[in-house]
């Protein structure tokens, strides 16, 4: 099979090599699948650079965290049969990720695909939307009529939070950089947008909320964006930390948390049981079937174009989610 392999560490265009290799053998807790489409995310860029904490520690490996495809072979207890179509998180931590024609999926992280959802949309659905659900519903406790502030709203994770937040009945204020990205955030469901290139985020948000501030902050960015967001929170607000797209984790100031009376919580899907994840997926699938949430995939590349897709992602040219389509 064809597979992209990372050799060494550095810029994706320098360390990614397209090779022919044997398909991986399913191990306990995994299944072998044929990849239809695979999402491309910043963690894949960080893996190439050797800065992602969950990447394989040594040797060559194939990244790619999130795929949609069909089951070829499953080990006992996985609950899958050959020919089933699923979306799943891959075994990228063992080097058997989705940037290949065949990969290993994880037995605790596969989910059914709604009939109306194609492979490309499904390859950009699982991680963004499951993370958004856990961040907004389970950890953020977002309620209808509350105000949600989404940082990095034109990226894949932020776009899903905009769409889901609107579907849950919240007023969504999106932060993005530049008119094009603000327009994209609005298309994903944001009711109002703030261009962080045009001035102070906190001042703009406080003006939009008549001085009250926001109830929930969804932060996949970290760094200075996090600090700005904490200056425009309402009393009893919840700041949900998702990631560090800026390259810096949120610099939490505990004194400020206490003085302003808000909470800071982390959110990651991996800490939830299989039963909880399945319940979340049923809710998300119902919202998809009802047309309440939509795909955040805005572009697809051919399999051979992975280095170009990752270059566009790293240079912040990407809006929403990008995938490789192995069906083209």
């Amino acid at each position: 099979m064809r597979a992209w392999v990372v050799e060494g560490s550095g810029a994706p265009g320098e360390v990614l090599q397209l090779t022919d290799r044997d398909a991986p053998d399913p191990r306990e807790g995994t299944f072998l699948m044929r990849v239809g489409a695979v999402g491309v995310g910043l963690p894949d860029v960080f893996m190439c650079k050797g800065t992602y904490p969950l990447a394989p520690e040594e040797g060559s490996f194939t990244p790619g965290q999130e795929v949609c495809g069909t089951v070829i072979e499953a080990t006992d207890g996985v609950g899958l049969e050959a020919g089933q179509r699923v979306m799943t998180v891959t075994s990228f931590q063992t080097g058997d990720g989705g940037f290949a024609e065949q990969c290993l999926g994880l037995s605790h992280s596969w989910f059914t695909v709604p009939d109306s959802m194609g492979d490309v949309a499904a390859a950009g659905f699982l991680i963004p939307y499951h993370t958004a659900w856990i961040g907004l519903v389970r950890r953020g406790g977002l309620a209808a009529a509350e105000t949600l502030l989404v940082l990095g709203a034109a990226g894949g994770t932020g776009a899903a939070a905009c769409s889901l937040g609107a579907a849950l009945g919240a007023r969504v204020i999106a932060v993005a950089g530049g008119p094009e990205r603000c327009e994209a955030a609005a298309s994903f469901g944001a009711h109002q947008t703030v261009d962080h290139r045009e001035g102070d985020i906190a001042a703009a948000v406080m003006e939009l909320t008549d001085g009250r501030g926001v109830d929930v902050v969804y932060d996949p960015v970290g760094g200075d964006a996090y600090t700005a967001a904490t200056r425009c929170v309402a009393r009893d607000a919840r700041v949900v930390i998702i990631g560090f797209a800026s390259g810096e984790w949120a610099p939490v100031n505990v004194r400020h948390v206490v003085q302003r009376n808000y909470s800071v919580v982390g959110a990651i899907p991996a800490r939830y049981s299989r039963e909880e994840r399945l319940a979340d997926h049923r809710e998300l699938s119902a919202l998809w079937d009802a047309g309440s949430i939509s795909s955040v995939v805005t572009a697809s590349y051919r399999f051979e174009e992975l280095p170009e897709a990752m270059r566009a992602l790293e240079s912040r040219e990407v809006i929403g989610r990008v995938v490789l389509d192995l069906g083209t």
Side-chain angles (χ1 to χ4, degrees):
M1 68 169 190
R2 294 183 302 165
W4 286 98
V5 173
V6 174
E7 297 280 1
S9 60
E14 298 172 355
V15 300
L16 279 168
Q17 298 182 16
L18 184 57
T19 65
D20 284 308
R21 59 182 296 189
D22 293 335
D25 293 322
R27 297 181 296 274
E28 183 178 358
T30 69
F31 59 94
L32 180 65
M33 66 182 300
R34 181 171 291 104
V35 178
V38 51
V40 184
L42 276 176
D44 300 308
V45 175
F46 297 149
M47 277 188 251
C48 290
K49 293 184 172 183
T51 59
Y52 192 66
L54 300 181
E57 294 183 359
E58 57 184 31
S60 62
F61 64 93
T62 296
Q65 293 184 308
E66 178 181 16
V67 303
C68 176
T70 54
V71 177
I72 297 174
E73 178 185 356
T75 54
D76 292 339
V78 175
L80 287 169
E81 297 181 356
Q84 280 187 257
R85 182 168 169 261
V86 298
M87 60 176 81
T88 187
V89 174
T90 71
S91 186
F92 68 92
Q93 289 183 262
T94 63
D96 301 306
F99 296 148
E101 292 177 322
Q102 297 178 34
C103 75
L104 295 184
L106 299 178
S107 61
H108 55 78
S109 293
W110 67 265
F111 300 90
T112 56
V113 183
D115 291 339
S116 60
M117 187 184 293
D119 286 357
V120 167
F125 184 88
L126 174 54
I127 291 177
Y129 270 109
H130 276 239
T131 303
W133 182 274
I134 287 168
L136 296 181
V137 178
R138 289 189 177 273
R139 301 293 283 148
L142 181 68
E146 285 193 315
T147 300
L148 166 67
L149 180 66
V150 179
L151 305 180
T157 303
C162 288
S163 181
L164 180 59
L168 295 172
R171 172 192 179 189
V172 181
I173 302 175
V175 178
E180 181 185 10
R181 299 180 77 81
C182 285
E183 289 175 10
S187 74
F188 293 132
H191 301 99
Q192 294 165 299
T193 61
V194 172
D195 186 346
H196 66 74
R197 297 178 183 175
E198 294 297 319
D200 184 73
I201 294 172
V205 170
M206 292 302 283
E207 182 176 354
L208 288 173
T209 59
D210 297 323
R212 179 183 178 276
V214 301
D215 300 292
V216 176
V217 176
Y218 189 86
D219 179 17
V221 179
D224 292 341
Y226 163 85
T227 301
T230 62
R231 292 171 34 234
C232 57
V233 290
R235 193 199 72 188
D236 300 327
R238 292 82 71 198
V239 180
V240 185
I241 298 175
I242 303 299
F244 59 110
S246 67
E248 178 188 356
W249 281 105
V252 179
N253 182 331
V254 177
R255 179 179 177 180
H256 192 264
V257 170
V258 174
Q259 290 178 334
R260 292 293 300 274
N261 212 61
Y262 63 93
S263 302
V264 178
V265 300
I268 186 171
R271 303 300 298 176
Y272 290 85
S273 70
R274 178 68 174 158
E275 291 73 21
E276 290 169 319
R277 297 291 305 281
L278 287 170
D280 294 347
H281 190 69
R282 285 193 293 271
E283 296 281 0
L284 288 165
S285 295
L287 289 172
W288 173 273
D289 287 336
S292 300
I293 58 175
S294 58
S295 175
V296 297
V297 175
T298 61
S300 62
Y301 290 76
R302 292 183 294 107
F303 184 70
E304 297 81 4
E305 297 174 324
L306 175 60
E308 172 59 21
M310 295 184 80
R311 184 207 62 77
L313 188 70
E314 186 178 17
S315 62
R316 301 299 196 269
E317 297 173 19
V318 167
I319 290 175
R321 198 82 159 95
V322 171
V323 304
L324 298 185
D325 184 359
L326 276 69
T328 59

